Amino acid sequence: MALSIHTNYSALTTNTALNKSNNALATNQQRLGTGLRINSAADDAAGLQIATRLNAQSRGMGVAMRNVSDSISMLQTAEGAFSEMTDIVQRMKDLATQAANGTNSDDDLMALEAEYSALGAELKNIFTNTRYAGEELFGTNTGTAFTAAAADGKLSKQDGIKFQIGASTAETLEMKIGDKFVSLNTALTKISDDFAGTTKAAASAGNIAFKDTGTPPVVTNKTAGLIDDVSDALNVIGEVRAALGANINRLNHTSNNLANMKDNTEMAKGRIMDADFAMESANMSKNSMLMQSGISMLKQAGQMPGMVMGLLG
């Protein structure tokens, strides 16, 4: 290699190596500072694209898990209401069965009817006022006009309710039990004045009375048939509760599966994005030493042109 004043090859090559070491050291420090192997698309373009998709899927599943939890809470609210309705109707059946016995006096029948009517009123109160997040679950349409198409409750509508249980549009759960609510309303109308829209004084086929208005008051045929009507109402309530319970169980399994998928997706993203601290620490030490030696050699290379003066005397 020729000795030249204008071009110092040793200094140029040493400076180039020093710049490379400096860039590598800066990358090591950035990765150790952020904990990420990929801090920009330039670090790993393909890896960043894959990790972005994984991150979108993971975030979507996280939101879906919250959706599932909200859905379970709503269905549990509904099922809890029907659990109370079951207890009420069970008591109404006890009262109807007791009222059908000929040993009751007029005062006994009046007392039994008073409790029965109060329970019927509470049935309607639960049906019309059970809410989740301020919205009616079962609707306010009662009586013979109730239809799934016209129902205004979140669960009683004909088109049902759709739960978003995944990160994609295809991952949904549709629950349509509006027809069960029609059957339920029909059954409750047979056993409750409030659902039938009648009063105790009304001479209506739907009027629930444990005794006639004539003299002497006697147990009516309506009351005798009421035992079977109440039993039918219990069966319908049981069907609705079974549908709610089945979907609650399904959503619990959905939540467990989402949690499993989310965990593994996060692990897959981490393998791409996360920095290996052991490797980056070792590389940082190596690049730091290369920097120090490069600076020392650059100083030595800078003295090379000075040797020319020795040749000039």
Side-chain angles (χ1 to χ4, degrees):
M1 182 181 67
L3 190 60
S4 171
I5 295 177
H6 292 289
T7 304
N8 188 343
Y9 179 76
S10 297
L12 292 175
T13 56
T14 302
N15 186 62
T16 299
L18 185 61
N19 286 334
K20 290 180 179 179
S21 297
N22 185 45
N23 290 334
L25 181 60
T27 299
N28 298 143
Q29 291 173 334
Q30 183 183 38
R31 289 175 176 175
L32 290 172
T34 62
L36 298 174
R37 184 181 70 88
I38 303 175
N39 291 282
S40 69
D43 292 333
D44 186 349
L48 179 65
Q49 185 179 13
I50 296 171
T52 299
R53 290 202 304 269
L54 291 173
N55 189 45
Q57 183 180 3
S58 177
R59 288 169 64 97
M61 286 187 290
V63 175
M65 288 174 65
R66 294 197 296 272
N67 287 350
V68 169
S69 296
D70 292 340
S71 302
I72 291 174
S73 296
M74 187 183 75
L75 296 184
Q76 286 177 332
T77 300
E79 202 280 326
F82 280 114
S83 175
E84 194 61 34
M85 290 174 70
T86 299
D87 294 339
I88 290 174
V89 177
Q90 289 280 18
R91 178 56 181 164
M92 293 172 74
K93 185 175 184 296
D94 293 343
L95 294 171
T97 303
Q98 185 177 355
N101 194 11
T103 61
N104 295 299
S105 66
D106 294 346
D107 290 339
D108 293 337
L109 292 176
M110 290 177 64
L112 291 169
E113 183 181 339
E115 183 180 353
Y116 186 97
S117 298
L119 293 175
E122 183 56 26
L123 273 181
K124 182 178 180 181
N125 178 60
I126 293 175
F127 189 89
T128 58
N129 292 320
T130 298
R131 299 171 182 269
Y132 178 80
E135 293 192 75
E136 296 172 348
L137 290 181
F138 312 142
T140 56
N141 296 322
T142 57
T144 56
F146 187 94
T147 63
D152 51 6
K154 292 186 74 67
L155 297 177
S156 58
K157 293 179 181 179
Q158 187 176 35
D159 55 357
I161 185 171
K162 180 185 290 186
F163 301 126
Q164 183 65 41
I165 59 172
S168 66
T169 55
E171 297 174 271
T172 60
L173 186 156
E174 293 188 59
M175 189 174 68
K176 296 181 179 181
I177 56 175
D179 291 340
K180 294 185 183 296
F181 276 87
V182 175
S183 301
L184 174 64
N185 192 80
T186 301
L188 295 179
T189 298
K190 292 181 180 180
I191 66 171
S192 170
D193 285 331
D194 289 273
F195 270 91
T198 62
T199 63
K200 294 179 183 179
S204 168
N207 188 38
I208 309 302
F210 283 6
K211 63 174 190 170
D212 287 335
T213 56
T215 303
V218 294
V219 176
T220 65
N221 291 333
K222 179 67 178 178
T223 307
L226 195 60
I227 298 174
D228 293 334
D229 290 339
V230 175
S231 295
D232 292 340
L234 280 172
N235 291 335
V236 176
I237 293 174
E239 290 178 5
V240 177
R241 291 185 67 185
L244 293 171
N247 282 280
I248 289 172
N249 287 337
R250 177 181 173 179
L251 287 171
N252 279 321
H253 289 298
T254 299
S255 180
N256 293 338
N257 188 51
L258 283 171
N260 173 62
M261 290 192 297
K262 185 176 185 298
D263 291 344
N264 286 286
T265 301
E266 286 286 346
M267 286 296 296
K269 184 190 73 172
R271 293 186 186 100
I272 298 172
M273 293 292 295
D274 294 350
D276 185 336
F277 271 68
M279 183 180 69
E280 295 299 335
S281 296
N283 288 337
M284 186 181 71
S285 298
K286 178 192 73 174
N287 291 320
S288 179
M289 287 188 290
L290 288 173
M291 279 283 294
Q292 294 176 27
S293 63
I295 292 172
S296 178
M297 291 304 101
L298 185 61
K299 181 179 178 181
Q300 295 294 327
Q303 297 174 359
M304 291 291 289
M307 296 180 182
V308 175
M309 300 303 296
L311 296 175
L312 298 176

